[in-house]
Amino acid sequence: WGALFWNMQILLFVLFPVFLLWLLLMFVFPNQVTRFVILHVPGASWQQGDISKSLWQPAHAAAPTFPCLPKEGQIYTSDFRDGSTNDASTSLRILTMNVFLGHNLEQLLQEFESITPQPDVICLQEDNIFEDLESPGVFHHVGGAIAKKLRMQCFFVPTYFRERKLPQQPNNSRTNSPGLCGCYGLSILSKRTLQNVTTLPCDFNPLVVEKQSDILIGKRHFLLAHYPTANNNSVAIISVHFPSAGLFREKVQMYRLLQRQIAEISSPVIIAGDCNTFPRIASLFPWASTDRMFHLNTEAESWRHVVGGGADSIKDDRVRKNIREDQRKNFFDPFGNEVITGVRGIVAASKMDWIMFEKNRFVVEQTWKQQVKADAPIRELPSDHIWLMAQASTVAK
C-alpha cells in the first residue's frame, strides 16, 4: 500500500501541472482551442461527417441518395412507407436520438429495427448527408436509411455544411454549392403524413460560434411538422439541436427565441432533441458553459427549470415582445435528470437529450430508453447518445 500511495503521488505530481497548463492554454487562447476541438476532436462536431474508408460500411453504400446537397434552409423529403398506416389516435409514441453522423450505420439500423414497440415519430439530430466514396457528387442520407428500414416518411433540413478537405477531391457542378461535400442537420420521420412542415431559423448564435464563422458554412435551423391525430387534430413536433459551444445563458436565449416563434401554435407542442445540457466539468472549457462555473445546480436541473416556466435572467426584447403570458408555452420532460443519455467522454455523465411535452396538453403514459452495457466500447454502439421514447396522449386545452 505504501508503494501504491507513493506512485499515486508521483502520478498526481506529473498530471496536475499538465492539467493546469491545459486550462491556461484554453483560457488564454479560447478561439484557437475551440477551432482545434471542432476540426480534430472525434465526435466534437459535424466536421467529422465525411465517411472515410475506415468507417465505410455496406449500410453506407446502400443508404438512399440525393443527386445534390440541399441549400441552406431547404427541406429534403423522402418517403418509404408501404401504404399501411394505423388509424389516427390521440396517443403517439415519439423517439429522439442524436445519431452521431451515422458513423456506425449498421448498428443504428439494427438498433432501430429492434425497438419494441416501434415509434410513430422519430426526431434525429446530427443526421448526415455524406458523399459516396466511389462516385463524387452522389450523396447518401443517414436519416433516409433509417426511414427506409422502418418504412417511414422523412424530412431533413441542413444545419452546417462541410468543405472538401483534399485537393484531389473534385468540385462537382451538380451540387448546389460546388466545393462542399456534405452536411449535417435535423430530421423528423413519421409513419403518417406530416403536415405544414417548415423550418424555424435560429437568428441568434453564441458568441464563440460567431467567432468561428469562417468555418461555419450554413445556419442552424430547427424543424417543425404537424403530426395528424384523431378528430382532424394534430400535434406540433419540433426537432431541435442546441449548440454544444456557447454559454448556458446563450442557449437559454435561443430557447426563448424559439418560444416566440411557436407562441401562436394552437396545437399541442412537443420539442424533442439534443439540448447539450452538459455536466459540471463543461464549465472549465472556454467554448462551453463557463457562466456555470459557480452554480450549484447542474445544467440539466437549470434547463428543466427554464423550460418548465421558471424565471431566468434573459431580458432581451427580441424574446419578450409580442409574447403574452397566455401564449407562453411551458414544458415538462418525463425522464429524470438521473437518466444519462451521453455515452462518450465528458457527456457520459449528463442528461443531454430531452422530450419536452407542453404542460397541461399531454398525459405521458409510458417511457422507454435504450439499454447500453456499461463496458461496451463506443465503436460497437450505434451512437454516442442513447435514444429516449415516450408515449403520450393529448388532452383538451
Side-chain angles (χ1 to χ4, degrees), residues 87-91 192 227-235 394:
D87 293 335
S89 169
T90 58
S91 177
R192 301 186 63 81
Y227 181 86
T229 56
N231 303 318
N232 295 319
N233 294 319
S234 66
V235 170
T394 57

Side-chain angles (χ1 to χ4, degrees), residues 357-387:
F357 294 90
E358 186 179 352
K359 284 186 174 180
N360 304 318
R361 306 296 301 274
F362 292 94
V363 174
V364 175
E365 300 160 346
Q366 194 170 355
T367 61
W368 301 261
K369 66 173 184 175
Q370 181 184 347
Q371 301 299 319
V372 176
K373 293 181 180 178
D375 57 348
I378 184 65
R379 65 181 179 275
E380 296 180 6
L381 296 175
S383 174
D384 57 355
H385 291 239
I386 68 169
W387 55 260

Side-chain angles (χ1 to χ4, degrees), residues 255 259 262-263 265 267 269 307 327-331 358:
Y255 169 74
Q259 273 199 327
I262 66 174
I265 294 178
S267 301
V269 177
V307 302
Q327 288 181 311
R328 180 172 172 172
K329 301 179 186 301
N330 299 318
F331 295 85
E358 186 179 352

Side-chain angles (χ1 to χ4, degrees), residues 62-173:
T65 61
F66 294 115
C68 62
L69 293 175
K71 297 178 181 178
E72 180 183 299
Q74 182 181 5
I75 297 174
Y76 266 9
T77 306
S78 50
D79 196 340
F80 301 97
R81 293 174 298 169
D82 57 7
S84 60
T85 58
N86 297 328
D87 293 335
S89 169
T90 58
S91 177
L92 80 159
R93 285 186 297 273
I94 180 169
L95 180 148
T96 186
M97 187 181 194
N98 179 317
V99 295
F100 187 38
L101 302 164
H103 277 195
N104 197 351
L105 186 53
E106 298 274 2
Q107 285 289 333
L108 265 177
L109 296 178
Q110 291 178 26
E111 180 65 31
F112 274 105
E113 193 174 30
S114 70
I115 295 172
T116 303
Q118 281 284 295
D120 300 306
V121 179
I122 298 174
C123 293
L124 300 179
Q125 303 82 47
E126 288 195 27
D127 192 3
N128 189 23
I129 294 181
F130 58 94
E131 195 165 35
D132 189 276
L133 281 181
E134 303 295 332
S135 304
V138 174
F139 300 93
H140 297 275
H141 182 206
V142 169
I146 297 170
K148 184 177 180 180
K149 173 66 73 172
L150 302 181
R151 298 179 180 177
M152 301 179 85
Q153 183 184 40
C154 177
F155 291 86
F156 169 86
V157 64
T159 298
Y160 294 125
F161 295 81
R162 297 185 297 276
E163 291 185 287
R164 300 184 185 280
K165 300 181 180 65
L166 302 175
Q168 62 266 34
Q169 288 180 311
N171 290 336
N172 192 291
S173 60

Side-chain angles (χ1 to χ4, degrees), residues 262-297:
I262 66 174
E264 295 186 2
I265 294 178
S266 59
S267 301
V269 177
I270 303 173
I271 301 175
D274 179 1
C275 295
N276 272 310
T277 40
F278 285 122
R280 297 182 192 277
I281 195 173
S283 64
L284 298 177
F285 300 125
W287 63 85
S289 312
T290 54
D291 56 333
R292 304 283 305 174
M293 193 173 295
F294 302 107
H295 280 245
L296 296 178
N297 291 341

